[in-house]
Amino acid sequence: MSKSYDVVVCGSCIMDFISYVPRLPKVGETLHGTRFETGFGGKGANQCVAAARLGSRTAIIGKLGNDSWGNIYYDALRSEGVNLERVEIVDGQTTGIAQINVADNGDNQIVIVAGANNMLQTEDVQKSEHLLSDAKVLICQLETPALATIEALRTFPGVSIMNAAPAMDDIPHELLRYCTVFCVNELEAALITGLEVRTVMQAKNALLKLRDMGCQTVIITLGENGAIFGSKISTTIKHVKPHKVDKVVDTTGAGDAFIGALAHFIARNPTSDLTCCIAAANRVASISVQKRGTQKSYPRFEETGLPTELLSDQGDWECI
Ligand code: RIB
């Protein structure tokens, strides 16, 4: 059997410390929370686990600290079936941590301290050539150093997805130009382009600007409004509609569920239109927001209700 990977992630592993609160606190305010949980997070590992749960063969290039969290996290990733040969437990570094508040309406706020994730170097990417050379899809984010990410995107021969999160306003242009698909949410799109992005049409303007800045294909996710996408080779911009959910419980990591699922569907359906892959990824993200937590809210393929062969349903999208 071929050892090639469907999805390789170059990115972050972070322990999540999650407080559930009635509402997000104001500046200077102390609130009583109602519940506390730890979870396995980090945008890179979340995206990797989302793809693995759907059935992708996955590997991650990343760093953990040599502390109790690092060892626990390593075992958790192994139990998800992720290839860990390029995950290093780094002496003298703490495992990355995130402090997360989740409000009753599903909104969240997150602060990360990247710790060992900051040690991911260009050489780590170069030493992973055997994983990357025949992988189908590469995913990168911005919780690990940009130089290593640029090296991965520059050298990867397959489809690469750059999820520019958390956003930076002075993003290196190589991150825009070297990827196949540049994917951000509305807040990230606003920060990178300097434009207001509150409506679907404002998102379209931001998408056009990102294309002018050098991106090949751009996806902007819009939460409960679905996603829009467009590419350099066509003037068409499509709005892929969301899957409605009855009750949003926790949106933390829903964007990562979308990205991991998108990578999975692109890897497994190489001839399918991107519209179908985005619609299917929307479905996966909509399932994740109905449960608490990040990785633990991600579905297995059988739980998605999606057909094995992705179908293009005209009702799922419109040109804008
Ligand atoms: O996108 C959600 C993730 O952001 C959390 O799991 C947290 O670790 C931060 O990386």
Side-chain angles (χ1 to χ4, degrees), residues 240-241 243 258 274-284 306 316:
V240 185
K241 308 215 187 106
H243 286 270
F258 175 88
L274 191 54
T275 320
C276 305
C277 297
I278 293 174
N282 270 349
R283 168 86 68 99
V284 172
L306 288 163
D316 282 344

Side-chain angles (χ1 to χ4, degrees), residues 217-277:
T217 294
V218 178
I219 301 175
I220 301 181
T221 57
L222 302 167
E224 61 187 19
N225 290 315
I228 62 164
F229 80 98
S231 70
K232 262 213 159 98
I233 52 168
S234 159
T235 51
T236 307
I237 311 254
K238 285 184 181 173
H239 177 207
V240 185
K241 308 215 187 106
H243 286 270
K244 296 282 178 211
V245 299
D246 290 338
K247 178 158 169 52
V248 173
V249 174
D250 185 351
T251 59
T252 318
D256 301 330
F258 175 88
I259 298 273
L262 179 71
H264 166 81
F265 292 121
I266 290 174
R268 288 297 178 93
N269 304 272
T271 56
S272 279
D273 189 271
L274 191 54
T275 320
C276 305
C277 297

Side-chain angles (χ1 to χ4, degrees), residues 28-149:
E29 185 182 25
T30 302
L31 277 183
H32 276 282
T34 51
R35 183 186 180 101
F36 173 75
E37 284 181 19
T38 55
F40 300 106
K43 295 181 195 303
N46 289 350
Q47 293 164 8
C48 193
V49 168
R53 291 253 175 108
L54 292 169
S56 271
R57 284 162 297 178
T58 57
I60 185 164
I61 305 162
K63 305 277 184 187
L64 291 161
N66 194 357
D67 51 20
S68 54
W69 292 120
N71 292 299
I72 291 168
Y73 205 139
Y74 193 91
D75 290 344
L77 281 173
R78 190 166 45 200
S79 73
E80 297 285 352
V82 177
N83 178 308
L84 298 179
E85 64 185 273
R86 297 298 308 139
V87 173
E88 188 190 354
I89 297 196
V90 188
D91 281 336
Q93 295 290 325
T94 54
T95 296
I97 62 104
Q99 291 185 329
I100 304 179
N101 293 327
V102 179
D104 277 352
N105 67 358
D107 286 349
N108 67 58
Q109 53 186 196
I110 306 177
V111 173
I112 65 164
V113 179
N117 292 289
N118 286 328
M119 306 307 288
L120 193 69
Q121 307 289 325
T122 305
E123 296 76 56
D124 295 303
V125 174
Q126 290 160 349
K127 284 184 195 155
S128 309
E129 211 265 332
H130 61 294
L131 295 178
L132 291 165
S133 60
D134 59 356
K136 298 191 179 92
V137 180
L138 166 73
I139 319 178
C140 302
Q141 325 73 33
L142 291 177
E143 290 179 332
T144 49
L147 279 180
T149 304

Side-chain angles (χ1 to χ4, degrees), residues 154-231:
R154 189 182 67 77
T155 55
F156 186 64
V159 174
S160 54
I161 301 175
M162 177 69 225
N163 173 219
M168 49 209 287
D169 49 8
D170 54 348
I171 186 165
H173 275 218
E174 293 94 327
L175 295 176
L176 303 160
R177 280 196 229 111
Y178 289 165
C179 62
T180 320
V181 179
F182 187 80
C183 184
V184 283
N185 67 20
E186 59 270 69
L187 291 176
E188 292 146 4
L191 196 69
I192 295 168
T193 61
L195 299 173
E196 185 168 88
V197 184
R198 289 179 189 277
T199 65
V200 172
M201 293 321 281
Q202 287 174 339
K204 179 180 175 182
N205 289 336
L207 186 151
L208 294 174
K209 180 151 181 192
L210 287 166
R211 259 186 6 188
D212 289 346
M213 289 165 78
C215 297
Q216 297 177 47
T217 294
V218 178
I219 301 175
I220 301 181
T221 57
L222 302 167
E224 61 187 19
N225 290 315
I228 62 164
F229 80 98
S231 70

